Amino acid sequence: GQTVSLAALQTWSGAVELLAGDAVAAEVELRAALETLEPMGEKSNLSTIAASLAAALHLQGRDEEAERLTAMSAELASDDDFTSQITWRVARARVLGDQGVGAEAKSLAQEAVELAEQTDCPNLRGDAWLSLAHAQAAHGELDGAERAANTARDQFLAKGNTVMAKRSAGLVDYARGVGA
């Protein structure tokens, strides 16, 4: 009788798998939730799950499917659902940045930052700032990318999210060729 609640919980297990660096395991969790909720017509949780699944697919190089899921999330998310509104923009900005569409990626990432800064959630703010750092790095703006990555790191550290703080700190070195 708690089908929606059980599927929504998979958002968290999917997030843990992404933190662990296992995009395939994250996909398993998030896809199961999506396949449970979509036929039910549930929208609230589905919009966030679709965006999170898009992030997992992007990490696997499956950008076409990731873009479709960000479009689904954008369509389903209510205007006041900050988690979904930020998460789909973050995922799509990452896809576009890696595809070389730097200006559009940067614009979406800046929108995500503006939305995230209206929240009291350091992880959402960190994700948004990190997406901006990626977009700026992809656009060749390494100084801006470094500032954004440092802001992301500070947000993650404020939450105690040392995994993402470390990833944020390593972004600019990698972009500059130090970590390559």
Side-chain angles (χ1 to χ4, degrees):
Q2 296 293 321
T3 306
V4 172
S5 297
L6 183 59
L9 284 174
Q10 288 175 290
T11 304
W12 297 107
S13 55
V16 169
E17 295 295 356
L18 284 173
L19 277 175
D22 192 340
V24 174
E27 177 190 357
V28 168
E29 292 296 315
L30 296 164
R31 189 169 302 282
L34 183 129
E35 290 173 354
T36 298
L37 297 176
E38 188 174 24
M40 299 171 74
E42 197 281 343
K43 295 179 181 178
S44 177
N45 294 294
L46 189 60
S47 60
T48 301
I49 290 165
S52 298
L53 179 55
L57 293 172
H58 169 67
L59 291 172
Q60 297 175 59
R62 294 163 55 196
D63 289 345
E64 189 174 306
E65 189 176 0
E67 282 191 87
R68 281 195 307 272
L69 286 164
T70 62
M72 171 194 271
S73 179
E75 181 181 320
L76 294 174
S78 63
D79 290 342
D80 62 349
D81 180 353
F82 281 90
T83 300
S84 293
Q85 292 290 348
I86 294 163
T87 305
W88 78 255
R89 283 174 171 84
V90 164
R92 189 177 296 168
R94 293 288 298 272
V95 168
L96 293 172
D98 287 352
Q99 291 176 344
V101 189
E104 191 176 343
K106 190 173 145 187
S107 177
L108 276 171
Q110 287 173 324
E111 288 176 21
V113 166
E114 289 170 15
L115 289 168
E117 286 300 319
Q118 297 176 50
T119 75
D120 62 354
C121 182
N123 277 329
L124 279 177
R125 290 196 306 254
D127 285 343
W129 280 103
L130 188 56
S131 74
L132 181 58
H134 277 279
Q136 289 174 320
H139 205 245
E141 300 173 8
L142 297 183
D143 290 338
E146 184 171 23
R147 286 189 298 276
N150 287 337
T151 301
R153 183 201 62 223
D154 293 345
Q155 290 297 319
F156 290 126
L157 286 174
K159 183 64 176 174
N161 186 344
T162 57
V163 171
M164 290 305 297
K166 184 176 180 179
R167 287 183 192 162
S168 300
L171 171 71
V172 175
D173 286 342
Y174 181 80
R176 291 184 190 272
V178 175

